[in-house]
């Protein structure tokens, strides 16, 4: 799977939008962008995924650039409970995609 | 509904001992994954089961590590002759099927400490 690059840490004020960037310049055409997060002392939790169109669910929005070389995860109104490590992962879709390859992630600290 | 459960939550053992870590996946999930997470790092893939068979064990670090899933549900990760470097959180995940469209649901992990 292609590798991703994320800033190691970010701060965000409670109630404001948190925008977490990810670079995946070597992504292949059949690779999806996935985001997981890991709250302290818990297992990772799926947030959202997309191929090339922007996606939104109850947790977040995912914006993927037209060339697919980067993406941004948006938490529209961050709360203290959103403090976690956020992992951006690219992964082959369909039956060929199995394990998740985690990088270092971005440690998001939401501050009151 | 019940999520992925792992037992024990914590395991302390001595160097050279044998340990077993258990994972109960979500009912009906055919794919099961084991990952290992060292302090300050992201999880690293160890092995993946589709049903009863290990479909990919390329992440197992050496032959001291072995995992089974005899009935296609519960899985056990077995570590022989433990070493201090094996200390980590061992995470289990399951998904409805294998493949990149399927969300993996993670358990809380087992924290293994080898003294």
């Amino acid at each position: 799977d292609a590798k991703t690059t994320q800033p190691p840490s970010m701060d965000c004020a409670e109630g404001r939008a948190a925008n977490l960037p990810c670079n995946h310049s070597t992504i292949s055409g059949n690779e999806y962008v996935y985001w997981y997060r890991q709250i302290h002392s818990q297992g990772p939790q799926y947030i959202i995924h997309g191929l090339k169109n922007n996606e939104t669910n109850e947790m977040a929005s995912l914006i993927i650039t037209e060339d697919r070389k980067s993406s941004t995860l948006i938490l529209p109104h961050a709360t203290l409970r959103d403090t976690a490590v956020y992992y951006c992962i690219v992964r082959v879709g369909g039956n060929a995609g199995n394990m998740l390859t985690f990088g270092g992630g971005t440690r998001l600290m939401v501050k009151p | 509904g019940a999520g992925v459960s792992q037992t024990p939550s914590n395991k302390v053992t001595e160097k050279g001992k044998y340990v077993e870590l258990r994972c109960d996946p979500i009912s009906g999930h055919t794919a099961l994954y084991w990952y290992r997470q060292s302090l300050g790092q992201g999880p690293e893939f160890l092995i993946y089961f589709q049903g009863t068979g290990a479909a990919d064990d390329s992440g197992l670090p050496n032959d001291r590590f072995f995992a089974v899933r005899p009935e296609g549900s519960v899985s056990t990760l077995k570590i022989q002759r433990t070493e201090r470097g094996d200390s980590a959180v061992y995470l289990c995940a399951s998904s409805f099927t294998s493949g990149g469209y399927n969300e993996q649901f993670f358990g809380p992990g087992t924290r293994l400490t080898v003294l």
Side-chain angles (χ1 to χ4, degrees):
Chain A
D1 288 355
K3 293 183 178 179
T4 63
T5 304
Q6 300 178 252
S9 64
M10 292 181 63
D11 290 344
C12 178
E14 187 179 20
R16 303 299 293 269
N19 296 281
L20 292 94
C22 179
N23 287 323
H24 31 79
S25 59
T26 60
I27 192 170
S28 300
N30 63 345
E31 287 181 316
Y32 287 68
V33 180
Y34 280 75
W35 285 82
Y36 279 73
R37 74 179 182 183
Q38 188 172 24
I39 295 170
H40 182 62
S41 296
Q42 297 183 23
Q45 175 192 23
Y46 167 83
I47 302 172
I48 199 167
H49 77 278
L51 182 63
K52 53 184 176 181
N53 296 324
N54 298 337
E55 302 289 344
T56 295
N57 62 22
E58 65 279 3
M59 289 183 70
S61 294
L62 174 60
I63 308 299
I64 303 174
T65 58
E66 192 169 343
D67 63 7
R68 301 207 325 122
K69 293 185 177 181
S70 65
S71 61
T72 301
L73 179 75
I74 301 172
L75 309 178
H77 305 286
T79 70
L80 299 179
R81 289 177 294 181
D82 292 321
T83 292
V85 178
Y86 287 77
Y87 295 99
C88 170
I89 299 166
V90 293
R91 183 185 186 207
V92 175
N95 293 327
N98 298 310
M99 81 287 285
L100 298 168
T101 302
F102 291 84
T106 294
R107 184 172 299 276
L108 176 69
M109 179 73 71
V110 180
K111 298 183 175 181
Chain B
V4 177
S5 62
Q6 294 186 245
T7 53
S9 55
N10 282 283
K11 176 70 177 178
V12 180
T13 191
E14 293 180 343
K15 180 176 178 297
K17 299 290 188 182
Y18 168 82
V19 297
E20 290 189 350
L21 311 179
R22 176 186 168 109
C23 173
D24 281 84
I26 293 173
S27 178
H29 281 191
T30 61
L32 185 146
Y33 310 78
W34 284 98
Y35 295 82
R36 178 170 71 172
Q37 186 170 25
S38 299
L39 190 63
Q41 299 182 17
E44 294 177 296
F45 168 76
L46 295 177
I47 186 170
Y48 143 66
F49 288 88
Q50 179 56 45
T52 60
D56 184 348
D57 64 358
S58 62
L60 294 178
N62 52 58
D63 61 6
R64 295 187 297 107
F65 288 74
F66 190 70
V68 296
R69 195 185 184 200
E71 298 178 357
S73 179
V74 171
S75 176
T76 304
L77 178 65
K78 308 180 180 192
I79 310 174
Q80 299 177 320
R81 305 183 304 279
T82 52
E83 300 178 356
R84 292 193 179 88
D86 299 335
S87 295
V89 175
Y90 289 80
L91 294 161
C92 176
S94 69
S95 63
F96 184 64
T97 64
S98 63
Y101 303 131
N102 294 282
E103 174 186 353
Q104 292 186 18
F105 294 84
F106 283 80
T110 294
R111 181 175 298 278
L112 175 66
T113 303
V114 181
L115 301 177

